[in-house]
Amino acid sequence: MARSTSSVITLNINGEKFTLPVDHRTTLLDALRERLDLTGTKKGCDQGQCGACTVLLDGRRSVACLQLAVAAEGREITTIEGVADGDRLHPVQEAFLDLDGFQCGYCTPGQICSAIGMIEEHAAGWPSAATGDVRPEAGPPPLTAEEIRERMSGNLCRCGAYVSIVQAVARAAATARTGAADQSSPAQSKEAVA
């Protein structure tokens, strides 16, 4: 007796539940874009190399082109459409706008989702390849430009907006640390990551 190659799954996306039949081989990226019209998540290389399709799964970064939709069932999925709080932009979105952390904008949704996850990872004390002291008691390393570049290295920008992206991530991380609504000027943010 042949086994079925499809299932009906329920995905929890941006706080809403979506039930849909999917082929077991359907990626989360294709389910989001083709089945649910959540087209903010972009299809770039479709091989997990560019980061354009980055979403958050249970708060952690994931490239949706390599994640099967059936494996995402029961997990909290956050796409770029779900990072803002109503009309109030997420601090990472605000920083990208204020500091021109984008050019054509194609990679921007993945960059923003990745930055949100990266800031949380850093705050939790997760080391990167650029971290000098990886001992847990050392705590989170300073979030230097080198740390940010290393931690965001899975997200490519063909336009080359990397300088502004690093500045935007630094500002958003500072906002997350301080919780302050008023941010420093772009010139101060540049100095912080120079």
Side-chain angles (χ1 to χ4, degrees):
M1 187 168 175
R3 290 188 173 188
S4 174
T5 60
S6 63
S7 297
V8 175
I9 62 171
T10 300
L11 298 175
N12 187 2
I13 305 168
N14 303 325
E16 292 184 53
K17 294 198 182 297
F18 297 88
T19 301
L20 65 156
V22 294
D23 183 286
H24 291 160
R25 299 165 294 180
T26 302
T27 63
L28 178 58
L29 175 60
D30 287 337
L32 292 170
R33 291 184 57 79
E34 308 300 327
R35 303 293 305 285
L36 299 172
D37 290 327
L38 293 169
T39 57
T41 304
K42 303 303 185 209
K43 184 178 274 197
C45 67
D46 210 21
Q47 297 177 5
Q49 299 295 313
C50 73
C53 66
T54 304
V55 298
L56 299 170
L57 285 179
D58 297 329
R60 296 191 57 194
R61 302 184 276 178
S62 179
V63 284
C65 70
L66 298 182
Q67 176 74 42
L68 293 176
V70 294
E73 187 171 28
R75 301 179 72 186
E76 178 62 43
I77 303 161
T78 305
T79 67
I80 191 65
E81 291 91 347
V83 299
D85 184 10
D87 289 337
R88 194 169 130 219
L89 294 178
H90 188 282
V92 173
Q93 290 173 304
E94 288 179 357
F96 266 71
L97 283 172
D98 292 346
L99 297 171
D100 295 324
F102 56 91
Q103 287 184 26
C104 80
Y106 195 81
C107 73
T108 305
Q111 296 273 1
I112 288 172
C113 287
S114 186
I116 292 168
M118 185 228 80
I119 290 168
E120 291 296 319
E121 292 165 11
H122 176 263
W126 295 12
S128 78
T131 304
D133 188 350
V134 297
R135 294 173 302 137
E137 60 270 14
L143 196 54
T144 62
E146 182 182 17
E147 277 285 340
I148 294 170
R149 282 192 297 270
E150 172 61 32
R151 291 169 184 269
M152 293 292 293
S153 64
N155 292 82
L156 303 179
C157 172
R158 291 184 176 149
C159 297
Y162 294 115
V163 172
S164 297
I165 290 168
V166 169
Q167 293 168 0
V169 172
R171 179 183 283 185
T175 301
R177 280 193 306 271
T178 63
D182 186 41
Q183 290 305 299
S184 60
S185 70
Q188 289 170 323
S189 293
K190 288 178 187 175
E191 293 172 48
V193 296

